């Protein structure tokens, strides 16, 4: 019985220390530093509604939205990419602002987002294809545009193409159509950027500021501490009448 009492005493004394998880610790200079666990509920939802052949979407994705991953901002962001934009459904078929090639690439993006749900993985693919689409002259072979990116990133082109040819990609795309149609207020153009259900409208390039303001967690990333000095000049562009995006009412001009 004496041994049993000693064992129970040991368990009671040791119990508080048994719940210190090394997954929330880091070793530095021989010391164990206990870090606060990440609370995913604190993350800010940053959503981009776009279409693949809109030059303004390409510019925003390649030069602005990439900031999420070029800093520690990604630690507080739940990034959603919605490839539908100003497309419409006539009968059972989608019709896109910049023609059949855009519907094709919107579907390819939908497939990649589905098969590679890791946001950094599918964002890298989307950014790569948007860089390709903005090159002059435009790549004429629409499949070559994205296959270069899948090869570069080690993503199965066969898997992506099967998603498209099987019709499953279209089902995914129509889900994005439904999600876009539910926007309140409705989008006016693309790129259309929303932070925690609040549209940024003409100030979309300053999304970092709005993400940081919406974040209610205790540990703000360095990107939020330095963003004031890096506020973009969207309002200056508007004052100079530089077009902010692709409107549904516009006639596609593919040059």
């Amino acid at each position: 019985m004496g041994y049993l009492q000693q064992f129970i005493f040991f368990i009671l004394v040791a119990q508080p220390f048994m719940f210190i998880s090394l997954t929330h610790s880091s070793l530095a200079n021989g010391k164990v530093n206990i870090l606060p666990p990440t609370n995913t509920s604190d993350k800010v939802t940053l959503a981009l509604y776009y279409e693949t052949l809109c030059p303004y979407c390409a510019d925003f994705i390649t030069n602005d939205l990439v900031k999420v991953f070029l800093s520690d901002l990604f630690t507080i962001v739940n990034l959603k990419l919605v490839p539908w934009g100003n497309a419409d459904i006539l009968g059972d078929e989608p019709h896109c602002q910049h023609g059949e090639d855009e519907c094709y690439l919107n579907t390819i993006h939908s497939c990649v987002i589905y098969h590679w749900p890791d946001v950094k993985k599918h964002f890298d693919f989307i950014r790569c294809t948007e860089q390709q689409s903005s090159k002059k002259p435009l790549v004429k072979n629409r499949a070559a545009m994205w296959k270069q990116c899948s090869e570069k990133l080690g993503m199965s082109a066969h898997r992506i193409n099967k998603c498209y040819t099987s019709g499953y990609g279209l089902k995914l795309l129509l889900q994005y159509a439904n999600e876009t149609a539910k926007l309140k207020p409705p989008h006016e153009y693309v790129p259309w950027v929303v932070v925690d259900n609040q549209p940024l409208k003409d100030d979309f390039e300053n999304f970092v500021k709005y993400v940081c303001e919406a974040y209610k967690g205790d540990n703000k990333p360095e990107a939020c501490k330095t963003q004031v000095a890096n506020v973009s000049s969207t309002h200056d562009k508007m004052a100079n009448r530089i077009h902010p995006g692709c409107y549904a009412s516009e006639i596609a001009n593919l040059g």
Side-chain angles (χ1 to χ4, degrees):
M1 293 296 292
Y3 287 110
L4 179 60
Q5 289 174 342
Q6 290 178 15
F7 178 73
I8 293 173
F9 175 76
F10 172 78
I11 291 297
L12 292 174
V13 171
Q15 188 175 18
F17 301 98
M18 295 171 65
F19 294 96
I20 298 177
S21 173
L22 291 178
T23 60
H24 294 136
S25 303
S26 64
L27 294 176
N29 299 322
K31 297 181 180 179
V32 177
N33 299 318
I34 306 302
L35 303 178
T38 301
N39 188 351
T40 55
S41 64
D42 288 335
K43 285 195 172 186
V44 177
T45 298
L46 171 63
L48 170 65
Y49 296 80
Y50 73 101
E51 57 194 25
T52 51
L53 293 182
C54 171
Y56 302 98
C57 293
D59 180 69
F60 178 70
I61 289 169
T62 58
N63 298 313
D64 294 297
L65 193 59
V66 68
K67 294 173 185 175
V68 170
F69 301 104
L70 295 180
S71 68
D72 56 353
L73 190 68
F74 74 93
T75 61
I76 66 168
V77 167
N78 173 28
L79 179 61
K80 290 177 56 181
L81 298 161
V82 184
W84 177 257
N86 297 321
D88 201 357
I89 300 173
L90 299 177
D92 295 327
E93 297 292 326
H95 287 254
C96 297
Q97 183 174 17
H98 299 91
E100 290 183 8
D101 283 354
E102 184 168 73
C103 282
Y104 170 76
L105 289 170
N106 285 353
T107 308
I108 293 295
H109 280 202
S110 301
C111 287
V112 169
I113 293 169
Y114 175 78
H115 283 294
W116 286 271
D118 179 86
V119 67
K120 180 62 167 62
K121 188 75 172 178
H122 64 244
F123 176 81
D124 284 346
F125 176 89
I126 289 168
R127 183 174 183 239
C128 179
T129 57
E130 291 302 282
Q131 287 174 324
Q132 295 290 330
S133 71
S134 60
K135 285 182 178 179
K136 300 296 181 182
L138 185 66
V139 177
K140 296 301 182 181
N141 186 330
R142 63 185 188 178
M145 188 183 298
W146 65 263
K147 285 183 178 179
Q148 293 175 21
C149 296
S150 65
E151 181 178 352
K152 175 183 175 182
L153 297 168
M155 305 165 88
S156 170
H158 173 74
R159 190 177 186 186
I160 297 169
N161 194 58
K162 184 177 180 181
C163 174
Y164 177 81
T165 57
S166 68
Y168 192 71
L170 177 59
K171 292 180 180 179
L172 296 171
L173 183 63
L174 293 178
Q175 290 179 3
Y176 288 127
N178 187 51
E179 185 174 344
T180 303
K182 290 181 179 179
L183 278 170
K184 292 183 180 180
H187 79 285
E188 300 169 19
Y189 49 80
V190 291
W192 189 254
V193 182
V194 179
V195 173
D196 278 354
N197 298 317
Q198 297 299 316
L200 304 190
K201 297 189 176 181
D202 294 340
D203 206 22
F204 63 88
E205 287 181 351
N206 290 326
F207 70 92
V208 175
K209 177 184 73 172
Y210 293 96
V211 167
C212 293
E213 289 175 351
Y215 180 63
K216 304 306 179 185
D218 295 327
N219 302 305
K220 287 209 171 186
E222 286 298 318
C224 291
K225 298 174 185 177
T226 60
Q227 66 84 28
V228 176
N230 298 320
V231 172
S232 185
S233 56
T234 306
H235 291 303
D236 293 337
K237 292 181 181 180
M238 291 297 292
N240 293 325
R241 298 183 180 180
I242 296 177
H243 205 285
C246 295
Y247 286 78
S249 58
E250 291 180 334
I251 298 175
N253 181 13
L254 300 180

